[in-house]
Amino acid sequence: MAKLDVEEGAAGAPGHPPANGYLLVPGGEPPGKLSAEPQNGPKAGCLTLNGVSRDSLAAAVQTLDRPRTPLAPEEETQTRLLPGGPGEETPGAEGARVPQTALSARRFVVLLIFSLYSLVNAFQWIQYSIISNVFRDFYGVSFLHIDWLSMVYMLAYVPLIFPATWLLDTRGLRLTALLGSGLNCLGAWVKCGSVQQHLFWVTMLGQCLCSVAQVFILGLPSRIASVWFGPKEVSTACATAVLGNQLGTAVGFLLPPVLVPNTQNNTDLLECNISTMFYGTSSIATFLCLLTVIAFKEKPPYPPSQAQAVLQNSPPAEYSYKKSIRNLFKNIPFVLLLITYGIMTGAFYSVSTLLNQMILMHYEGEEVNAGRIGLTLVVAGMVGSILCGLWLDHTKTYKQTTLVVYILSFLGMVVFTFTLDLGYIIIVFITGGVLGFFMTGYLPLGFEFAVEITYPESEGTSSGLLNASAQIFGILFTLAQGKLTSDYGPKAGNIFLCTWMFLGIILTALIKSDLKRHNINIGIANGDIKAKNNLSVVSQSDGLAPLLFEKNTCQTAI
């Protein structure tokens, strides 16, 4: 018999989804050993519960003589389909049904393509700010104009996130990915036409297109992880998807100072260097856009987890985007996470945007090292993201991990603030790495924690709202910290961020941890979770398998 979530693509005859009236029962003996007699026969393999109240269900199951073995957390179980009415037979070993869930090898291709074009988009976000003094002098504008080339990413996200998440929820993953990759490519080519000193507005136009592309990118990591990856790898997959964006930021810190050195005395050489960076970026973006068209698919042939199986079987007519938004804002733990995620990620955006200015105030002429410090910050954060994802997949301690990482990020920010002006740039490398490890490592934690406490609401909607919060805080923090930095120095601006991060710690501690998706995957459903296909999930306090009701009819294995 084909194994669940083991073989790449389910083995067996295609197309046997569970019909309404059947119950998925995990664990136990193989289907071939189940009785094939009718349900109402003397050797019935299931218990008819028509008309029995849910309150008396646990007591009825406990009267059965046959012992039951509780499921261990995160156990990979096999599923069985039992007959839904009299006279139907349970499939035996010879005609075993296709497993309800299976993993597809294509999931790694989808994840890789997304991570790469997300990388290019993040590179284009930071490529101006890390050499802000060079672009300021080249275009003859102020630092604030250059800062807006970064902040336009944040500004565009806020009004566009709602139509973008609606598109993701109603039109699907593939179309959203195509828009993100296509707009990213288009914006890169527009910037190729801006390499003249009087064409700042053209480079801003190209950056605006890239910022719109970002709206169709940032909300996808948790959706890709949930739709394509199994329960034991979903957090790692989400962290890897976020990793692509972080890697793009890292490359954006590293390459621009090398490709476009400060050669203000030679304008022609500067134009040539800027053109090299822009044309190289647009060529890579075009290649990745073509890959997205060819290889990025909507979803795998079979859902990778029980939670996804329930959601994918729901009729489209039952989904309401407005209702989903209302449900999320009524969810107090999610609202608290919305604020705390915005504070942390907004602080990261602000530090990244203003890093060049902070470093050059204390270490004049160190543009290249400013980029390397940014690279250190992000690479350390990439390591933190992967380790946090692996830790979550192993322990499922979402709130505890999120709170600890938040506290350590705050401490890292404090140390970075008070060591920045010591005069030893090697210390800035070290403190920047520590800060990045925790601050950037927090990003996938927020995504996955949000999905857990808001299931079965759409991952795209919850992730989109988190990112919208991050953009709002990012704009406010960048403007405020930039003003404080220019008037009073970098220390004043960084203390401002420390104050907000301390508030974030307090609010994180108040979040109630209710891991709804995790409970579905291990077979323990909370009473307030209702599947979207008229199936209500009821939990058993004694560790028995969960029973799914459809109206007032239920069958379960004996």
Side-chain angles (χ1 to χ4, degrees), residues 195-378:
V195 192
Q196 294 186 38
Q197 292 182 292
H198 65 285
L199 294 180
F200 177 79
W201 69 272
V202 177
T203 208
M204 177 62 81
L205 175 61
Q207 193 74 339
C208 287
L209 289 172
C210 293
S211 68
V212 175
Q214 178 211 215
V215 181
F216 299 100
I217 293 174
L218 289 187
L220 292 191
S222 57
R223 172 63 68 90
I224 291 174
S226 296
V227 170
W228 283 91
F229 289 83
K232 287 190 174 182
E233 56 190 15
V234 63
S235 295
T236 304
C238 182
T240 304
V242 174
L243 186 70
N245 199 267
Q246 296 172 2
L247 182 59
T249 305
V251 177
F253 279 126
L254 178 65
L255 287 186
V258 176
L259 296 175
V260 189
N262 193 350
T263 58
Q264 298 299 337
N265 295 330
N266 191 339
T267 304
D268 291 338
L269 178 59
L270 184 59
E271 288 182 357
C272 180
N273 292 335
I274 294 175
S275 294
T276 300
M277 180 172 69
F278 284 168
Y279 276 102
T281 303
S282 58
S283 299
I284 296 173
T286 301
F287 173 71
L288 293 174
C289 183
L290 293 175
L291 279 182
T292 305
V293 172
I294 295 170
F296 200 104
K297 302 300 181 184
E298 178 68 29
K299 62 183 179 180
Y302 299 94
S305 65
Q306 295 293 350
Q308 274 299 303
V310 172
L311 293 179
Q312 290 184 13
N313 287 335
S314 63
E318 293 187 12
Y319 175 75
S320 170
Y321 180 70
K322 292 182 179 179
K323 183 178 180 181
S324 179
I325 294 291
R326 288 197 300 268
N327 290 341
L328 289 175
F329 279 105
K330 290 178 182 178
N331 188 329
I332 300 302
F334 176 73
V335 173
L336 291 174
L337 181 62
L338 196 66
I339 298 172
T340 58
Y341 184 89
I343 292 173
M344 176 68 80
T345 312
F348 170 72
Y349 290 162
S350 182
V351 170
S352 300
T353 301
L354 301 173
L355 183 62
N356 173 269
Q357 298 174 41
M358 288 191 288
I359 297 299
L360 293 184
M361 280 189 177
H362 295 296
Y363 305 92
E364 187 176 351
E366 294 286 356
E367 291 93 349
V368 174
N369 273 330
R372 291 171 180 169
I373 291 170
L375 173 68
T376 303
L377 186 148
V378 177

Side-chain angles (χ1 to χ4, degrees), residues 242 246 340-352 377-378 380-385 388 402 404-414 416-417 431-446 477 481 494 497-498 500-501:
V242 174
Q246 296 172 2
T340 58
Y341 184 89
I343 292 173
M344 176 68 80
T345 312
F348 170 72
Y349 290 162
S350 182
V351 170
S352 300
L377 186 148
V378 177
M382 290 161 54
V383 176
S385 294
C388 287
T402 301
V404 169
V405 170
Y406 217 115
I407 294 172
L408 293 175
S409 297
F410 167 74
L411 295 177
M413 189 67 202
V414 171
F416 178 81
T417 299
T431 57
V434 173
L435 175 64
F437 181 87
F438 296 110
M439 180 178 279
T440 315
Y442 172 84
L443 303 184
L445 293 179
F477 285 172
Q481 187 185 11
N494 288 333
L497 293 183
C498 290
W500 278 95
M501 290 174 68

Side-chain angles (χ1 to χ4, degrees), residues 428-475:
V428 184
F429 274 94
I430 296 173
T431 57
V434 173
L435 175 64
F437 181 87
F438 296 110
M439 180 178 279
T440 315
Y442 172 84
L443 303 184
L445 293 179
F447 279 143
E448 284 299 291
F449 196 15
V451 174
E452 289 291 340
I453 63 178
T454 60
Y455 181 88
E457 304 300 337
S458 168
E459 302 92 344
T461 306
S462 61
S463 298
L465 290 174
L466 287 180
N467 281 317
S469 175
Q471 312 305 322
I472 293 172
F473 277 101
I475 293 174

Side-chain angles (χ1 to χ4, degrees), residues 457-515:
E457 304 300 337
S458 168
E459 302 92 344
T461 306
S462 61
S463 298
L465 290 174
L466 287 180
N467 281 317
S469 175
Q471 312 305 322
I472 293 172
F473 277 101
I475 293 174
L476 297 176
F477 285 172
T478 302
L479 291 174
Q481 187 185 11
K483 180 64 174 176
L484 290 171
T485 299
S486 61
D487 291 350
Y488 303 104
K491 182 176 291 186
N494 288 333
I495 291 176
F496 168 79
L497 293 183
C498 290
T499 303
W500 278 95
M501 290 174 68
F502 183 77
L503 175 62
I505 293 174
I506 298 174
L507 296 179
T508 300
L510 298 177
I511 298 175
K512 178 183 177 182
S513 181
D514 185 9
L515 308 183

Side-chain angles (χ1 to χ4, degrees), residues 65-84:
D65 295 331
R66 184 169 175 177
R68 301 295 297 265
T69 303
L71 286 174
E74 292 304 301
E75 180 183 5
E76 294 285 347
T77 62
Q78 299 184 353
T79 60
R80 294 172 285 173
L81 291 175
L82 297 180

